[in-house]
């Protein structure tokens, strides 16, 4: 006759049930692992592709923020170099233009002085009035200044040099300014057109006159 209390019998059954459940779980887990190993190994000689149970996350420790920073630095350096190059080119162009203007100014002054010297001993209006003409230039094309184009044409059969005196007269006919210009060693039939600019104010309006024209 079993004298074990009913409560102990019930507790024992529960323990055995839990142990059996745990054993089943172990067996299922083992079978699942064996199945994964079997799939990964592949018994076929043909070499079917293998798969892992889950994708491997990227190793974020191998990444850094250096690349974007490097690209930004390179772009900044390139932009700075481009600006420096453009600035250097502009400065060079400005220097060349200044040199050209200075050269033109020096040549104009030399020609003016030579023409003035050539006209010093000339009596009357000179021997080349038919080869030199003066034409007014619109102020809009001369920055608002009074300017005239002196057209010098060698109409002879020999090389020649020319000198011209241009006077600027006020409304009363008084000469208020005198300018000189010329052309050297013009071949027969050649023409040159130097520009003469008045230094007087815009008002009163002046009139340009070819006073002397000499071929020498």
């Amino acid at each position: 006759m079993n004298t074990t209390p009913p409560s102990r019998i019930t507790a024992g059954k529960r323990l055995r049930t839990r142990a059996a459940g745990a054993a089943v779980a172990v067996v299922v887990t083992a079978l699942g692992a064996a199945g994964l190993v079997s799939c990964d190994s592949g018994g076929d000689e043909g070499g079917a592709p293998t798969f892992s149970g889950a994708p491997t996350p990227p190793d974020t420790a191998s990444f850094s923020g250096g690349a974007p920073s490097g690209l930004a630095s390179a772009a900044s350096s390139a932009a700075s170099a481009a600006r420096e190059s453009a600035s250097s080119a502009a400065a060079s162009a400005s220097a060349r233009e200044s040199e050209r203007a200075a050269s033109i100014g020096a040549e104009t002054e030399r020609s003016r002085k030579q023409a003035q010297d050539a006209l010093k001993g000339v009596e009357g209006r000179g021997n080349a009035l038919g080869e030199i003409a003066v034409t007014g230039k619109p102020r809009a094309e001369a920055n608002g200044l009074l300017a005239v184009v002196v057209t010098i044409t060698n109409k002879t059969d020999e090389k020649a040099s020319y000198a011209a005196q241009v006077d600027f007269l006020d409304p009363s006919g008084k000469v208020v300014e005198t300018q000189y210009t010329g052309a050297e060693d013009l071949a027969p039939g050649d023409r040159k057109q130097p520009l003469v600019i008045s230094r007087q104010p815009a008002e009163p309006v002046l009139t340009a006159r070819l006073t002397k024209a000499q071929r020498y």
Side-chain angles (χ1 to χ4, degrees):
M1 185 177 182
N2 188 358
T3 60
T4 304
S7 59
R8 291 187 179 180
I9 294 173
T10 301
K13 287 182 179 181
R14 289 177 180 174
L15 289 174
R16 287 194 295 272
T17 300
R18 291 178 181 175
V24 171
V26 171
V27 172
V28 171
T29 302
L31 289 175
L36 291 175
V37 171
S38 175
C39 289
D40 287 346
S41 300
D44 190 357
E45 293 284 334
T50 62
F51 301 95
S52 62
T56 302
D59 183 6
T60 56
S62 64
F63 298 116
S64 70
S69 177
L71 290 175
S73 177
S76 177
S77 297
S80 178
R83 287 193 298 269
E84 290 178 2
S85 178
S87 177
S88 177
S92 178
S94 177
R96 289 195 300 270
E97 180 60 23
S98 297
E99 291 175 1
R100 187 182 74 86
S103 176
I104 292 175
E107 174 59 24
T108 299
E109 178 59 24
R110 189 196 64 77
S111 178
R112 186 199 69 78
K113 184 66 168 59
Q114 182 157 331
Q116 184 178 12
D117 291 342
L119 289 169
K120 281 181 178 179
V122 175
E123 297 291 338
R125 300 191 62 189
N127 61 7
L129 287 176
E131 298 172 74
I132 299 178
V134 172
T135 306
K137 190 175 182 66
R139 287 181 181 268
E141 298 179 9
N143 294 326
L145 300 174
L146 174 58
V148 294
V149 178
V150 180
T151 301
I152 304 171
T153 305
N154 184 356
K155 298 181 180 180
T156 72
D157 296 331
E158 299 179 356
K159 183 180 291 186
S161 295
Y162 295 84
Q165 176 183 326
V166 178
D167 289 333
F168 291 92
L169 291 71
D170 65 13
S172 68
K174 178 183 177 181
V175 176
V176 296
E177 184 180 7
T178 298
Q179 294 285 351
Y180 299 91
T181 189
E184 300 172 39
D185 300 326
L186 279 184
D190 281 358
R191 182 174 65 178
K192 188 173 182 180
Q193 293 181 298
L195 189 67
V196 172
I197 301 175
S198 171
R199 300 182 184 130
Q200 299 301 308
E203 298 292 340
V205 177
L206 303 180
T207 301
R209 179 186 70 189
L210 177 63
T211 302
K212 287 185 179 182
Q214 182 72 16
R215 180 180 63 253
Y216 61 96

